[in-house]
Amino acid sequence: MEQTMFNPNMESISASDQEKMEKTLLLDQIEYVYGHSKMYQDKFAKAGITKDKICDVQDLALLPFTTKKELRNSQKKLAPFGDFLATSVEKVNRVHRTSGTTGSFIYTALTKQDLDLTHNCGARAFWAGGLRPHHRVIHCLNYCMWMGGYTDHANLETTGATVIPFGVGNSKQLIQVIKDAGINAISSTPSYPKHLEKVIKDEFDMDPIELGLKLGLFGGEPGLENPVYRKRMETTWGMKAQNANYGVSDVLCNFASVCLDNYKLHFLGQGALLLQLIDPLTLKDIPITQGAVGEMVLTHLKKEAQPLVRYQTSDLMEILETGPCECGRTGFRFRIVGRVDDMLHVKGINVFPNGIAMVLEDIVPEVTGEFQIIIDHPSPYTSLDIKVEHGAHITPDKMMDLKLKIENKIKETLNFRGIVELVKPDSIERTKMGKARRVIRNY
């Protein structure tokens, strides 16, 4: 009988057992933080909260939040790891750093115990997405200190699969390796295969489906939650495209994936993370129930090097389902609505880049799907200026009709006015991982 879960004890844990486990682990973690983290000792003392006041999960609401700005400031003050390092430097086994796309980067330190738990949670996610020991998976994320490179590589290896560490760049060589090495799975961002399609056609005179990939494990950016985008990728490549790699790099690399029965992200960080929701405006806790929407707040349960308490992630999450999934996993299912700092208010309407992305995906190849919202003044907004890459075959005489089509679809679907400027394909700058910044603030 096939093993359907990587860690059944955690992935199928009952609600009552999870509650007991989280209480025990949380109290131990709080004791550890009070005793070893200078940053939290100072924060808690300033808030007037002693450790004896934290007796249950609900008592976390008494403690102050932690923000990314605090972590950056801590590491500027005490380089490189900050005064939230709660172990000796000698116990640190690996160091990563965040991408720094929204500000200066953060160094993330991990001990052997931290790494073991990280790899276990990551393997749960990749296994849920369909990865098995018989797969040969080529890993195409940036290895240059980013958590998604080497740590995700180790997460993939933990499943027992054969992992080929390719990284990013040299797409022609990548295609040749896939052809030569009998590779049947790929790990990358969801936008990367679109980039590879042109290379396959121009350099090899092949269609992507001829490469024989059967499984795609994607993460690091939105896209696959749109069924139109997913279906086009699966048809083009002949592989199952799985949203299998959601995490917060400065907290835990990967703790969520879809399963083979349900295309909703499953929370798979049991025993490692305590996840809470808060109202992003009032900062009050929101119960995790079906339909709830709030900012995701994370607390480590078994972290040695840099334990974080009540960390505001800026990710807005919607709870889609609670209770057991048909796959047997008991973690709630969710979707990421967008980033709190990317949420724009246009005449009373909350607008997220993800919504615009889904509108544009419906009209590919008239557009490439890439766009940027250009903001030149603080809110309030009555409309948004949006740069959109037109498709390669759109001629000048078709531009005005396409512009109006996009503006009308945005109005009909998202209920706000977008003023579209069409630009050439590939003219919007991407990062090395093929990602584009969606909101540009020029003020």
Side-chain angles (χ1 to χ4, degrees), residues 319-340:
I319 306 300
L320 300 176
E321 297 172 353
T322 58
C325 175
E326 49 263 51
C327 69
R329 294 173 178 86
T330 52
F332 60 84
R333 271 73 66 204
F334 67 94
R335 75 182 182 100
I336 299 300
V337 179
R339 298 279 297 171
V340 172

Side-chain angles (χ1 to χ4, degrees), residues 116-130:
D116 289 343
L117 191 57
T118 297
H119 299 329
N120 190 281
C121 290
R124 297 176 203 176
F126 286 131
W127 195 282

Side-chain angles (χ1 to χ4, degrees), residues 180-426:
D180 293 345
I183 289 165
N184 52 18
I186 187 171
S187 167
S188 76
T189 60
S191 62
Y192 194 47
K194 188 191 296 185
H195 166 72
L196 294 178
E197 288 168 18
K198 188 173 187 302
V199 179
I200 295 168
K201 190 68 177 174
D202 292 348
E203 300 290 342
F204 295 88
D205 194 26
M206 293 174 60
D207 292 322
I209 198 169
E210 296 178 73
L211 286 177
L213 293 176
K214 301 301 181 187
L215 177 66
L217 302 165
F218 301 108
E221 62 188 21
L224 285 179
E225 66 278 2
N226 183 354
V228 174
Y229 184 93
R230 190 166 70 246
K231 182 172 179 12
R232 186 169 66 251
M233 184 188 290
E234 292 185 334
T235 301
T236 301
W237 288 82
M239 65 181 171
K240 190 166 183 63
Q242 294 289 77
N243 190 1
N245 191 351
Y246 173 79
V248 178
S249 60
D250 35 3
V251 182
L252 187 63
C253 190
N254 185 4
F255 58 85
S257 170
V258 301
C259 74
L260 295 173
D261 302 300
N262 184 337
Y263 212 90
K264 299 180 181 73
L265 286 170
H266 295 50
F267 175 73
L268 297 168
Q270 298 93 332
L273 291 177
L274 180 66
L275 190 150
Q276 298 172 294
L277 294 182
I278 61 167
D279 184 306
L281 299 178
T282 67
L283 303 183
K284 298 296 184 184
D285 285 8
I286 298 171
I288 294 180
T289 55
Q290 186 169 331
V293 178
E295 180 181 355
M296 178 173 54
V297 172
L298 297 174
T299 298
H300 282 123
L301 292 174
K302 288 181 72 174
K303 191 72 180 289
E304 277 190 320
Q306 293 170 322
L308 300 177
V309 178
R310 298 270 278 173
Y311 182 69
Q312 290 183 258
T313 65
S314 292
D315 276 357
L316 276 177
M317 169 185 284
E318 179 184 4
I319 306 300
L320 300 176
E321 297 172 353
T322 58
C325 175
E326 49 263 51
C327 69
R329 294 173 178 86
T330 52
F332 60 84
R333 271 73 66 204
F334 67 94
R335 75 182 182 100
I336 299 300
V337 179
R339 298 279 297 171
V340 172
D341 42 10
D342 278 348
M343 182 171 67
L344 300 166
H345 302 279
V346 184
K347 298 181 73 172
I349 303 296
N350 292 337
V351 177
F352 292 95
N354 287 358
I356 298 172
M358 293 186 75
V359 168
L360 295 178
E361 284 299 333
D362 285 342
I363 57 174
V364 171
E366 292 177 85
V367 297
T368 68
E370 294 294 344
F371 69 96
Q372 284 183 330
I373 303 168
I374 310 298
I375 304 295
D376 61 8
H377 63 87
S379 62
Y381 307 112
T382 57
S383 62
L384 293 178
D385 293 329
I386 308 169
K387 282 187 178 181
V388 177
E389 288 185 356
H390 63 74
H393 304 296
I394 299 297
T395 54
D397 59 302
K398 302 264 184 76
M399 293 290 187
M400 183 54 70
D401 286 345
L402 178 58
K403 169 184 161 68
L404 294 175
K405 179 178 180 178
I406 297 169
E407 290 177 346
N408 289 336
K409 282 185 72 69
I410 288 173
K411 182 65 176 177
E412 292 167 6
T413 308
L414 304 176
N415 203 27
F416 79 93
R417 182 175 176 237
I419 301 172
V420 170
E421 176 192 356
L422 293 173
V423 297
K424 294 178 181 179
D426 301 318

